[in-house]
Amino acid sequence: MKKQLTYIAPLKAGIILGILYGIISLIIVPFFLLAALFGSRAGGAGAAVFGLGFVIMLPVIYAVVGFIGGVISAFLYNLIAGWTGGFEFEVRDLAP
């Protein structure tokens, strides 16, 4: 049977996503710091080769990080939803 989402409790969604994004940002920040550190030290022809290699590998990196991030996000959501009760929402039935 098809369902349509009609309401999401904003406060519950804010609590869950605030905690989830906060935890994820703590995981991601060190990688951005490392990228900034290496980026500031790179220069000359080596930087151009590194930049080209990074651009070529970027789709693969995004796919891998997206997969891992999805798994981590789902795990963290399930953990946080156990503490907070999860999203609260109302639905209504639709005709097939």
Side-chain angles (χ1 to χ4, degrees), residues 32-51:
F32 280 104
L33 292 173
L34 286 173
L37 177 66
F38 288 121
S40 67
R41 292 186 178 181
V49 172
F50 175 75

Side-chain angles (χ1 to χ4, degrees), residues 5-85:
L5 182 64
T6 59
Y7 180 78
I8 295 176
L11 185 59
K12 279 286 203 183
I15 291 169
I16 291 169
L17 291 176
I19 294 169
L20 182 64
Y21 279 53
I23 291 170
I24 290 172
S25 72
L26 294 175
I27 295 168
I28 293 172
V29 164
F31 296 104
F32 280 104
L33 292 173
L34 286 173
L37 177 66
F38 288 121
S40 67
R41 292 186 178 181
V49 172
F50 175 75
L52 179 60
F54 184 73
V55 169
I56 292 170
M57 290 301 297
L58 197 57
V60 174
I61 293 168
Y62 265 66
V64 170
V65 171
F67 172 76
I68 293 169
V71 171
I72 291 170
S73 296
F75 172 78
L76 291 174
Y77 173 79
N78 290 333
L79 183 67
I80 294 165
W83 299 335
T84 63

Side-chain angles (χ1 to χ4, degrees), residues 81-96:
W83 299 335
T84 63
F87 289 123
E88 293 179 3
F89 57 91
E90 297 172 10
V91 296
R92 67 181 171 111
D93 293 335
L94 298 176

